[in-house]
Each structure stands twice: as C-alpha cells, then as structure tokens.
mmCIF file of all heavy atoms in Angstrom:
data_model
loop_
_atom_site.group_PDB
_atom_site.id
_atom_site.type_symbol
_atom_site.label_atom_id
_atom_site.label_comp_id
_atom_site.label_asym_id
_atom_site.label_seq_id
_atom_site.Cartn_x
_atom_site.Cartn_y
_atom_site.Cartn_z
ATOM 1 N N MET A 1310 7.739 -2.072 12.898
ATOM 2 C CA MET A 1310 6.465 -2.003 13.608
ATOM 3 C C MET A 1310 5.377 -2.185 12.514
ATOM 4 O O MET A 1310 5.649 -2.192 11.385
ATOM 5 C CB MET A 1310 6.299 -0.619 14.322
ATOM 6 C CG MET A 1310 6.388 0.587 13.295
ATOM 7 S SD MET A 1310 6.155 2.188 14.227
ATOM 8 C CE MET A 1310 4.515 2.188 14.668
ATOM 9 N N GLY A 1311 4.100 -2.432 13.054
ATOM 10 C CA GLY A 1311 3.077 -2.475 12.015
ATOM 11 C C GLY A 1311 3.098 -3.407 10.995
ATOM 12 O O GLY A 1311 2.823 -3.104 9.793
ATOM 13 N N PHE A 1312 3.668 -4.632 11.256
ATOM 14 C CA PHE A 1312 3.960 -5.682 10.294
ATOM 15 C C PHE A 1312 5.198 -5.483 9.458
ATOM 16 O O PHE A 1312 5.336 -6.267 8.576
ATOM 17 C CB PHE A 1312 2.670 -5.951 9.329
ATOM 18 C CG PHE A 1312 1.295 -5.948 9.899
ATOM 19 C CD1 PHE A 1312 0.226 -5.701 9.125
ATOM 20 C CD2 PHE A 1312 1.069 -6.098 11.461
ATOM 21 C CE1 PHE A 1312 -0.989 -5.831 9.673
ATOM 22 C CE2 PHE A 1312 -0.172 -6.172 11.727
ATOM 23 C CZ PHE A 1312 -1.346 -6.028 11.029
ATOM 24 N N CYS A 1313 5.889 -4.364 9.618
ATOM 25 C CA CYS A 1313 6.916 -3.979 8.687
ATOM 26 C C CYS A 1313 8.289 -4.070 9.305
ATOM 27 O O CYS A 1313 8.468 -3.695 10.573
ATOM 28 C CB CYS A 1313 6.722 -2.513 8.247
ATOM 29 S SG CYS A 1313 5.041 -2.173 7.497
ATOM 30 N N PHE A 1314 9.342 -4.417 8.483
ATOM 31 C CA PHE A 1314 10.658 -4.587 9.068
ATOM 32 C C PHE A 1314 11.602 -3.602 8.334
ATOM 33 O O PHE A 1314 12.435 -2.863 8.954
ATOM 34 C CB PHE A 1314 11.272 -6.031 8.907
ATOM 35 C CG PHE A 1314 10.339 -7.060 9.665
ATOM 36 C CD1 PHE A 1314 9.224 -7.556 9.286
ATOM 37 C CD2 PHE A 1314 10.959 -7.331 10.887
ATOM 38 C CE1 PHE A 1314 8.513 -8.402 10.074
ATOM 39 C CE2 PHE A 1314 10.112 -8.265 11.772
ATOM 40 C CZ PHE A 1314 8.920 -8.793 11.231
ATOM 41 N N PHE A 1315 11.553 -3.603 7.185
ATOM 42 C CA PHE A 1315 12.330 -2.598 6.293
ATOM 43 C C PHE A 1315 11.319 -1.777 5.403
ATOM 44 O O PHE A 1315 10.331 -2.274 4.978
ATOM 45 C CB PHE A 1315 13.376 -3.297 5.300
ATOM 46 C CG PHE A 1315 14.467 -3.963 6.009
ATOM 47 C CD1 PHE A 1315 14.735 -5.198 5.883
ATOM 48 C CD2 PHE A 1315 15.248 -3.254 7.075
ATOM 49 C CE1 PHE A 1315 15.854 -5.886 6.420
ATOM 50 C CE2 PHE A 1315 16.236 -3.832 7.711
ATOM 51 C CZ PHE A 1315 16.556 -5.229 7.274
ATOM 52 N N ASN A 1316 11.647 -0.403 5.103
ATOM 53 C CA ASN A 1316 10.765 0.388 4.399
ATOM 54 C C ASN A 1316 10.991 0.252 2.897
ATOM 55 O O ASN A 1316 11.975 0.972 2.457
ATOM 56 C CB ASN A 1316 10.891 1.849 4.953
ATOM 57 C CG ASN A 1316 9.731 2.610 4.555
ATOM 58 O OD1 ASN A 1316 9.320 2.712 3.263
ATOM 59 N ND2 ASN A 1316 9.057 3.321 5.266
ATOM 60 N N ASN A 1317 10.408 -0.613 2.325
ATOM 61 C CA ASN A 1317 10.609 -0.940 0.910
ATOM 62 C C ASN A 1317 10.625 0.302 -0.030
ATOM 63 O O ASN A 1317 11.484 0.450 -0.895
ATOM 64 C CB ASN A 1317 9.648 -2.081 0.528
ATOM 65 C CG ASN A 1317 9.616 -3.288 1.367
ATOM 66 O OD1 ASN A 1317 10.604 -3.643 1.912
ATOM 67 N ND2 ASN A 1317 8.377 -3.841 1.569
ATOM 68 N N VAL A 1318 9.550 1.037 0.055
ATOM 69 C CA VAL A 1318 9.490 2.190 -0.847
ATOM 70 C C VAL A 1318 10.540 3.201 -0.466
ATOM 71 O O VAL A 1318 11.147 3.766 -1.490
ATOM 72 C CB VAL A 1318 8.090 2.744 -0.761
ATOM 73 C CG1 VAL A 1318 8.039 4.119 -1.295
ATOM 74 C CG2 VAL A 1318 7.072 1.868 -1.441
ATOM 75 N N ALA A 1319 10.740 3.534 0.651
ATOM 76 C CA ALA A 1319 11.804 4.415 1.075
ATOM 77 C C ALA A 1319 13.211 3.889 0.572
ATOM 78 O O ALA A 1319 13.983 4.849 -0.032
ATOM 79 C CB ALA A 1319 11.868 4.702 2.485
ATOM 80 N N VAL A 1320 13.484 2.732 0.785
ATOM 81 C CA VAL A 1320 14.764 2.127 0.216
ATOM 82 C C VAL A 1320 14.778 2.346 -1.246
ATOM 83 O O VAL A 1320 15.871 2.745 -1.799
ATOM 84 C CB VAL A 1320 14.939 0.685 0.592
ATOM 85 C CG1 VAL A 1320 15.986 -0.126 -0.153
ATOM 86 C CG2 VAL A 1320 15.090 0.459 2.078
ATOM 87 N N ALA A 1321 13.806 2.014 -2.001
ATOM 88 C CA ALA A 1321 13.828 2.294 -3.398
ATOM 89 C C ALA A 1321 13.913 3.719 -3.891
ATOM 90 O O ALA A 1321 14.638 4.070 -4.848
ATOM 91 C CB ALA A 1321 12.579 1.750 -4.021
ATOM 92 N N ALA A 1322 13.280 4.674 -3.203
ATOM 93 C CA ALA A 1322 13.325 5.987 -3.527
ATOM 94 C C ALA A 1322 14.649 6.503 -3.365
ATOM 95 O O ALA A 1322 15.246 7.364 -4.208
ATOM 96 C CB ALA A 1322 12.364 6.708 -2.768
ATOM 97 N N ARG A 1323 15.341 6.217 -2.364
ATOM 98 C CA ARG A 1323 16.678 6.637 -2.026
ATOM 99 C C ARG A 1323 17.635 6.025 -3.098
ATOM 100 O O ARG A 1323 18.624 6.608 -3.533
ATOM 101 C CB ARG A 1323 17.119 6.401 -0.537
ATOM 102 C CG ARG A 1323 16.466 7.302 0.397
ATOM 103 C CD ARG A 1323 17.257 8.591 0.514
ATOM 104 N NE ARG A 1323 16.618 9.677 1.300
ATOM 105 C CZ ARG A 1323 16.600 9.708 2.657
ATOM 106 N NH1 ARG A 1323 17.100 8.716 3.391
ATOM 107 N NH2 ARG A 1323 15.970 10.603 3.334
ATOM 108 N N HIS A 1324 17.449 4.787 -3.565
ATOM 109 C CA HIS A 1324 18.261 4.246 -4.581
ATOM 110 C C HIS A 1324 18.138 5.084 -5.884
ATOM 111 O O HIS A 1324 19.236 5.229 -6.434
ATOM 112 C CB HIS A 1324 17.799 2.787 -4.713
ATOM 113 C CG HIS A 1324 18.447 2.037 -5.890
ATOM 114 N ND1 HIS A 1324 19.802 1.564 -5.757
ATOM 115 C CD2 HIS A 1324 18.073 1.848 -7.173
ATOM 116 C CE1 HIS A 1324 20.222 1.047 -6.959
ATOM 117 N NE2 HIS A 1324 19.111 1.186 -7.724
ATOM 118 N N ALA A 1325 16.897 5.359 -6.161
ATOM 119 C CA ALA A 1325 16.670 6.197 -7.372
ATOM 120 C C ALA A 1325 17.452 7.547 -7.367
ATOM 121 O O ALA A 1325 18.081 7.857 -8.296
ATOM 122 C CB ALA A 1325 15.202 6.422 -7.820
ATOM 123 N N LEU A 1326 17.535 8.134 -6.063
ATOM 124 C CA LEU A 1326 18.191 9.408 -5.832
ATOM 125 C C LEU A 1326 19.655 9.413 -5.748
ATOM 126 O O LEU A 1326 20.324 10.023 -6.485
ATOM 127 C CB LEU A 1326 17.494 10.184 -4.693
ATOM 128 C CG LEU A 1326 16.065 10.595 -4.791
ATOM 129 C CD1 LEU A 1326 15.470 10.799 -3.471
ATOM 130 C CD2 LEU A 1326 15.905 11.702 -5.753
ATOM 131 N N ASP A 1327 20.093 8.483 -4.917
ATOM 132 C CA ASP A 1327 21.501 8.403 -4.587
ATOM 133 C C ASP A 1327 22.288 7.590 -5.499
ATOM 134 O O ASP A 1327 23.518 7.908 -5.559
ATOM 135 C CB ASP A 1327 21.606 7.830 -2.992
ATOM 136 C CG ASP A 1327 20.893 8.775 -1.975
ATOM 137 O OD1 ASP A 1327 20.639 10.062 -2.420
ATOM 138 O OD2 ASP A 1327 20.700 8.372 -0.877
ATOM 139 N N VAL A 1328 21.763 6.593 -5.988
ATOM 140 C CA VAL A 1328 22.567 5.623 -6.925
ATOM 141 C C VAL A 1328 22.337 5.928 -8.458
ATOM 142 O O VAL A 1328 23.159 5.996 -9.203
ATOM 143 C CB VAL A 1328 22.191 4.260 -6.487
ATOM 144 C CG1 VAL A 1328 23.014 3.303 -7.546
ATOM 145 C CG2 VAL A 1328 22.622 3.961 -5.240
ATOM 146 N N ARG A 1329 20.938 6.173 -8.700
ATOM 147 C CA ARG A 1329 20.684 6.325 -10.118
ATOM 148 C C ARG A 1329 20.595 7.771 -10.582
ATOM 149 O O ARG A 1329 20.473 8.064 -11.721
ATOM 150 C CB ARG A 1329 19.290 5.715 -10.496
ATOM 151 C CG ARG A 1329 19.300 4.111 -10.120
ATOM 152 C CD ARG A 1329 20.437 3.374 -10.923
ATOM 153 N NE ARG A 1329 20.270 3.752 -12.388
ATOM 154 C CZ ARG A 1329 19.766 2.839 -13.363
ATOM 155 N NH1 ARG A 1329 19.287 1.685 -12.853
ATOM 156 N NH2 ARG A 1329 19.790 3.221 -14.526
ATOM 157 N N GLY A 1330 20.759 8.705 -9.629
ATOM 158 C CA GLY A 1330 20.936 10.138 -10.064
ATOM 159 C C GLY A 1330 19.693 10.865 -10.350
ATOM 160 O O GLY A 1330 19.854 12.056 -11.003
ATOM 161 N N LEU A 1331 18.620 10.448 -10.067
ATOM 162 C CA LEU A 1331 17.399 11.127 -10.300
ATOM 163 C C LEU A 1331 17.434 12.468 -9.305
ATOM 164 O O LEU A 1331 17.999 12.436 -8.250
ATOM 165 C CB LEU A 1331 16.173 10.411 -10.013
ATOM 166 C CG LEU A 1331 15.767 9.236 -11.028
ATOM 167 C CD1 LEU A 1331 14.448 8.790 -10.733
ATOM 168 C CD2 LEU A 1331 16.116 9.656 -12.519
ATOM 169 N N LYS A 1332 16.741 13.445 -9.707
ATOM 170 C CA LYS A 1332 16.706 14.700 -8.876
ATOM 171 C C LYS A 1332 15.533 14.978 -8.074
ATOM 172 O O LYS A 1332 15.385 15.538 -6.936
ATOM 173 C CB LYS A 1332 16.708 16.021 -9.702
ATOM 174 C CG LYS A 1332 18.085 16.045 -10.687
ATOM 175 C CD LYS A 1332 19.320 15.957 -9.921
ATOM 176 C CE LYS A 1332 20.461 16.000 -10.732
ATOM 177 N NZ LYS A 1332 21.834 15.928 -10.050
ATOM 178 N N ARG A 1333 14.349 14.311 -8.532
ATOM 179 C CA ARG A 1333 13.071 14.457 -7.785
ATOM 180 C C ARG A 1333 12.214 13.268 -8.003
ATOM 181 O O ARG A 1333 12.164 12.775 -9.148
ATOM 182 C CB ARG A 1333 12.243 15.669 -8.479
ATOM 183 C CG ARG A 1333 12.845 17.073 -8.228
ATOM 184 C CD ARG A 1333 12.082 18.116 -8.922
ATOM 185 N NE ARG A 1333 11.565 17.750 -10.331
ATOM 186 C CZ ARG A 1333 12.461 17.813 -11.292
ATOM 187 N NH1 ARG A 1333 13.659 18.367 -11.222
ATOM 188 N NH2 ARG A 1333 11.873 17.567 -12.534
ATOM 189 N N VAL A 1334 11.820 12.670 -6.893
ATOM 190 C CA VAL A 1334 10.886 11.655 -6.948
ATOM 191 C C VAL A 1334 9.703 11.764 -6.002
ATOM 192 O O VAL A 1334 9.715 12.417 -5.021
ATOM 193 C CB VAL A 1334 11.496 10.250 -6.522
ATOM 194 C CG1 VAL A 1334 12.709 9.949 -7.402
ATOM 195 C CG2 VAL A 1334 12.001 10.265 -5.095
ATOM 196 N N ALA A 1335 8.524 11.250 -6.416
ATOM 197 C CA ALA A 1335 7.210 11.363 -5.644
ATOM 198 C C ALA A 1335 7.023 10.023 -5.007
ATOM 199 O O ALA A 1335 7.112 8.887 -5.614
ATOM 200 C CB ALA A 1335 6.138 11.890 -6.418
ATOM 201 N N VAL A 1336 6.576 10.038 -3.808
ATOM 202 C CA VAL A 1336 6.105 8.757 -3.029
ATOM 203 C C VAL A 1336 4.632 9.100 -2.771
ATOM 204 O O VAL A 1336 4.273 10.099 -2.257
ATOM 205 C CB VAL A 1336 6.880 8.545 -1.734
ATOM 206 C CG1 VAL A 1336 6.089 7.451 -1.024
ATOM 207 C CG2 VAL A 1336 8.265 8.200 -1.944
ATOM 208 N N VAL A 1337 3.688 8.031 -3.157
ATOM 209 C CA VAL A 1337 2.374 8.220 -3.086
ATOM 210 C C VAL A 1337 1.871 7.124 -2.145
ATOM 211 O O VAL A 1337 2.253 5.891 -2.379
ATOM 212 C CB VAL A 1337 1.597 8.121 -4.463
ATOM 213 C CG1 VAL A 1337 0.179 8.189 -4.246
ATOM 214 C CG2 VAL A 1337 2.067 9.200 -5.332
ATOM 215 N N ASP A 1338 1.064 7.260 -1.213
ATOM 216 C CA ASP A 1338 0.694 6.277 -0.196
ATOM 217 C C ASP A 1338 -0.818 6.332 -0.053
ATOM 218 O O ASP A 1338 -1.328 7.340 0.507
ATOM 219 C CB ASP A 1338 1.377 6.483 1.176
ATOM 220 C CG ASP A 1338 1.136 5.354 2.095
ATOM 221 O OD1 ASP A 1338 0.043 4.646 2.016
ATOM 222 O OD2 ASP A 1338 2.121 5.034 2.929
ATOM 223 N N PHE A 1339 -1.486 5.332 -0.550
ATOM 224 C CA PHE A 1339 -3.109 5.405 -0.417
ATOM 225 C C PHE A 1339 -3.464 4.230 0.551
ATOM 226 O O PHE A 1339 -4.743 3.868 0.546
ATOM 227 C CB PHE A 1339 -3.744 5.333 -1.726
ATOM 228 C CG PHE A 1339 -3.432 4.258 -2.634
ATOM 229 C CD1 PHE A 1339 -3.785 2.988 -2.482
ATOM 230 C CD2 PHE A 1339 -2.635 4.634 -3.826
ATOM 231 C CE1 PHE A 1339 -3.343 2.002 -3.368
ATOM 232 C CE2 PHE A 1339 -2.404 3.650 -4.776
ATOM 233 C CZ PHE A 1339 -2.731 2.401 -4.538
ATOM 234 N N ASP A 1340 -2.580 3.664 1.388
ATOM 235 C CA ASP A 1340 -3.042 2.769 2.443
ATOM 236 C C ASP A 1340 -3.895 3.363 3.425
ATOM 237 O O ASP A 1340 -3.885 4.575 3.633
ATOM 238 C CB ASP A 1340 -1.750 2.185 3.117
ATOM 239 C CG ASP A 1340 -2.020 1.019 4.099
ATOM 240 O OD1 ASP A 1340 -2.459 1.157 5.160
ATOM 241 O OD2 ASP A 1340 -1.626 -0.214 3.604
ATOM 242 N N VAL A 1341 -4.873 2.631 4.106
ATOM 243 C CA VAL A 1341 -5.809 3.190 5.041
ATOM 244 C C VAL A 1341 -4.993 3.586 6.242
ATOM 245 O O VAL A 1341 -5.603 4.535 6.979
ATOM 246 C CB VAL A 1341 -6.840 2.248 5.492
ATOM 247 C CG1 VAL A 1341 -6.266 1.137 6.406
ATOM 248 C CG2 VAL A 1341 -8.149 2.839 5.983
ATOM 249 N N HIS A 1342 -3.681 3.219 6.513
ATOM 250 C CA HIS A 1342 -3.048 3.618 7.638
ATOM 251 C C HIS A 1342 -1.964 4.641 7.075
ATOM 252 O O HIS A 1342 -1.399 4.506 6.091
ATOM 253 C CB HIS A 1342 -2.321 2.429 8.350
ATOM 254 C CG HIS A 1342 -3.283 1.379 8.750
ATOM 255 N ND1 HIS A 1342 -3.544 0.277 8.018
ATOM 256 C CD2 HIS A 1342 -4.005 1.230 9.905
ATOM 257 C CE1 HIS A 1342 -4.318 -0.504 8.640
ATOM 258 N NE2 HIS A 1342 -4.693 0.116 9.731
ATOM 259 N N HIS A 1343 -1.611 5.594 7.990
ATOM 260 C CA HIS A 1343 -0.605 6.499 7.723
ATOM 261 C C HIS A 1343 0.703 5.839 7.660
ATOM 262 O O HIS A 1343 1.127 5.065 8.408
ATOM 263 C CB HIS A 1343 -0.516 7.590 8.710
ATOM 264 C CG HIS A 1343 0.652 8.729 8.724
ATOM 265 N ND1 HIS A 1343 1.516 8.902 9.646
ATOM 266 C CD2 HIS A 1343 0.920 9.428 7.668
ATOM 267 C CE1 HIS A 1343 2.318 9.782 9.227
ATOM 268 N NE2 HIS A 1343 2.097 10.108 8.012
ATOM 269 N N GLY A 1344 1.476 6.230 6.608
ATOM 270 C CA GLY A 1344 2.840 5.675 6.339
ATOM 271 C C GLY A 1344 3.725 6.454 7.205
ATOM 272 O O GLY A 1344 4.745 7.239 6.681
ATOM 273 N N ASN A 1345 3.737 6.276 8.423
ATOM 274 C CA ASN A 1345 4.503 7.019 9.489
ATOM 275 C C ASN A 1345 6.023 6.702 9.125
ATOM 276 O O ASN A 1345 6.922 7.577 9.412
ATOM 277 C CB ASN A 1345 4.148 6.608 10.860
ATOM 278 C CG ASN A 1345 4.462 5.176 11.217
ATOM 279 O OD1 ASN A 1345 3.761 4.287 10.578
ATOM 280 N ND2 ASN A 1345 5.224 4.902 12.196
ATOM 281 N N GLY A 1346 6.390 5.465 8.947
ATOM 282 C CA GLY A 1346 7.740 5.039 8.632
ATOM 283 C C GLY A 1346 8.302 5.818 7.503
ATOM 284 O O GLY A 1346 9.517 6.382 7.577
ATOM 285 N N THR A 1347 7.675 5.823 6.405
ATOM 286 C CA THR A 1347 8.025 6.542 5.183
ATOM 287 C C THR A 1347 8.355 8.034 5.500
ATOM 288 O O THR A 1347 9.212 8.730 5.044
ATOM 289 C CB THR A 1347 7.163 6.388 3.990
ATOM 290 O OG1 THR A 1347 6.794 4.973 3.973
ATOM 291 C CG2 THR A 1347 7.793 6.675 2.682
ATOM 292 N N GLU A 1348 7.237 8.573 6.256
ATOM 293 C CA GLU A 1348 7.496 10.001 6.543
ATOM 294 C C GLU A 1348 8.654 10.214 7.461
ATOM 295 O O GLU A 1348 9.491 11.231 7.273
ATOM 296 C CB GLU A 1348 6.227 10.504 7.363
ATOM 297 C CG GLU A 1348 6.283 11.935 7.547
ATOM 298 C CD GLU A 1348 4.921 12.475 8.091
ATOM 299 O OE1 GLU A 1348 4.456 11.905 9.070
ATOM 300 O OE2 GLU A 1348 4.373 13.514 7.670
ATOM 301 N N ASP A 1349 8.942 9.380 8.430
ATOM 302 C CA ASP A 1349 9.967 9.530 9.248
ATOM 303 C C ASP A 1349 11.301 9.617 8.528
ATOM 304 O O ASP A 1349 12.226 10.412 8.845
ATOM 305 C CB ASP A 1349 10.134 8.407 10.307
ATOM 306 C CG ASP A 1349 11.222 8.346 11.204
ATOM 307 O OD1 ASP A 1349 11.356 9.196 12.127
ATOM 308 O OD2 ASP A 1349 12.070 7.429 11.028
ATOM 309 N N ILE A 1350 11.531 8.705 7.470
ATOM 310 C CA ILE A 1350 12.743 8.625 6.646
ATOM 311 C C ILE A 1350 12.819 9.678 5.761
ATOM 312 O O ILE A 1350 14.085 10.320 5.621
ATOM 313 C CB ILE A 1350 12.681 7.265 5.996
ATOM 314 C CG1 ILE A 1350 12.891 6.096 7.035
ATOM 315 C CG2 ILE A 1350 13.963 7.221 5.017
ATOM 316 C CD1 ILE A 1350 12.530 4.732 6.538
ATOM 317 N N LEU A 1351 11.700 10.195 5.171
ATOM 318 C CA LEU A 1351 11.958 11.141 4.102
ATOM 319 C C LEU A 1351 11.467 12.578 4.354
ATOM 320 O O LEU A 1351 11.683 13.386 3.525
ATOM 321 C CB LEU A 1351 10.904 10.603 2.797
ATOM 322 C CG LEU A 1351 11.266 9.185 2.277
ATOM 323 C CD1 LEU A 1351 10.348 8.802 1.239
ATOM 324 C CD2 LEU A 1351 12.760 9.215 1.655
ATOM 325 N N ALA A 1352 10.971 12.887 5.406
ATOM 326 C CA ALA A 1352 10.554 14.143 5.859
ATOM 327 C C ALA A 1352 11.911 15.114 5.853
ATOM 328 O O ALA A 1352 12.900 14.777 6.444
ATOM 329 C CB ALA A 1352 9.919 14.244 7.209
ATOM 330 N N GLY A 1353 11.643 16.212 5.120
ATOM 331 C CA GLY A 1353 12.815 17.159 5.089
ATOM 332 C C GLY A 1353 13.779 16.896 3.869
ATOM 333 O O GLY A 1353 14.630 17.782 3.596
ATOM 334 N N ASP A 1354 13.582 15.812 3.133
ATOM 335 C CA ASP A 1354 14.428 15.609 2.028
ATOM 336 C C ASP A 1354 13.724 16.296 0.710
ATOM 337 O O ASP A 1354 12.730 15.767 0.295
ATOM 338 C CB ASP A 1354 14.524 14.066 1.615
ATOM 339 C CG ASP A 1354 15.534 13.908 0.622
ATOM 340 O OD1 ASP A 1354 15.812 14.565 -0.274
ATOM 341 O OD2 ASP A 1354 15.939 12.615 0.530
ATOM 342 N N ASP A 1355 14.295 17.379 0.379
ATOM 343 C CA ASP A 1355 13.512 18.220 -0.634
ATOM 344 C C ASP A 1355 13.559 17.611 -2.039
ATOM 345 O O ASP A 1355 13.026 18.151 -3.012
ATOM 346 C CB ASP A 1355 14.006 19.695 -0.605
ATOM 347 C CG ASP A 1355 15.510 19.865 -0.957
ATOM 348 O OD1 ASP A 1355 16.201 18.775 -1.333
ATOM 349 O OD2 ASP A 1355 16.042 20.947 -0.747
ATOM 350 N N ARG A 1356 14.177 16.474 -2.166
ATOM 351 C CA ARG A 1356 14.222 15.829 -3.354
ATOM 352 C C ARG A 1356 13.037 14.774 -3.602
ATOM 353 O O ARG A 1356 12.796 14.244 -4.612
ATOM 354 C CB ARG A 1356 15.519 14.824 -3.554
ATOM 355 C CG ARG A 1356 16.900 15.575 -3.399
ATOM 356 C CD ARG A 1356 18.003 14.641 -3.321
ATOM 357 N NE ARG A 1356 17.899 13.761 -2.150
ATOM 358 C CZ ARG A 1356 18.673 12.757 -1.946
ATOM 359 N NH1 ARG A 1356 19.611 12.372 -2.817
ATOM 360 N NH2 ARG A 1356 18.487 11.978 -0.771
ATOM 361 N N VAL A 1357 12.271 14.702 -2.510
ATOM 362 C CA VAL A 1357 11.162 13.805 -2.355
ATOM 363 C C VAL A 1357 9.869 14.657 -2.061
ATOM 364 O O VAL A 1357 9.889 15.496 -1.158
ATOM 365 C CB VAL A 1357 11.340 12.776 -1.329
ATOM 366 C CG1 VAL A 1357 10.148 11.929 -1.168
ATOM 367 C CG2 VAL A 1357 12.609 12.015 -1.613
#
C-alpha cells in the first residue's frame, strides 16, 4: 500500500537482529506520513 511493496527498513532491521546478532536497534521515521507498515511489523518487538 501507499506506493510500497516490501518494507525495506523493517527487513534490514530484522536482518541486523536475527542474522547479525544485534540486541537492540532503533528505527527512526521522519516521513510526513506515518510509517504504519513498519509499526505493524515491529510493534511489540522489544529489541526495536
């Protein structure tokens, strides 16, 4: 939705956590539109 097909940042953040072994990553979104997809994917993941 909203011009988007895959959530590039969420894919990368999970790669850093699940593959590269980081414990905590931050995602920062300053787009004028709410990043609803990123929130949908990452909400409740206390590593993010």
Side-chain angles (χ1 to χ4, degrees):
M1310 60 182 291
F1312 315 162
C1313 304
F1314 295 85
F1315 294 126
N1316 197 304
N1317 308 322
V1318 161
V1320 168
R1323 284 278 172 76
H1324 175 77
L1326 294 163
D1327 297 343
V1328 177
R1329 299 304 304 260
L1331 296 190
K1332 304 299 184 186
R1333 297 177 310 281
V1334 303
V1336 173
V1337 178
D1338 191 328
F1339 52 71
D1340 193 279
V1341 78
H1342 304 97
H1343 174 233
N1345 64 300
T1347 313
E1348 183 174 53
D1349 175 72
I1350 293 166
L1351 299 178
D1354 187 338
D1355 60 11
R1356 304 171 299 170
V1357 181

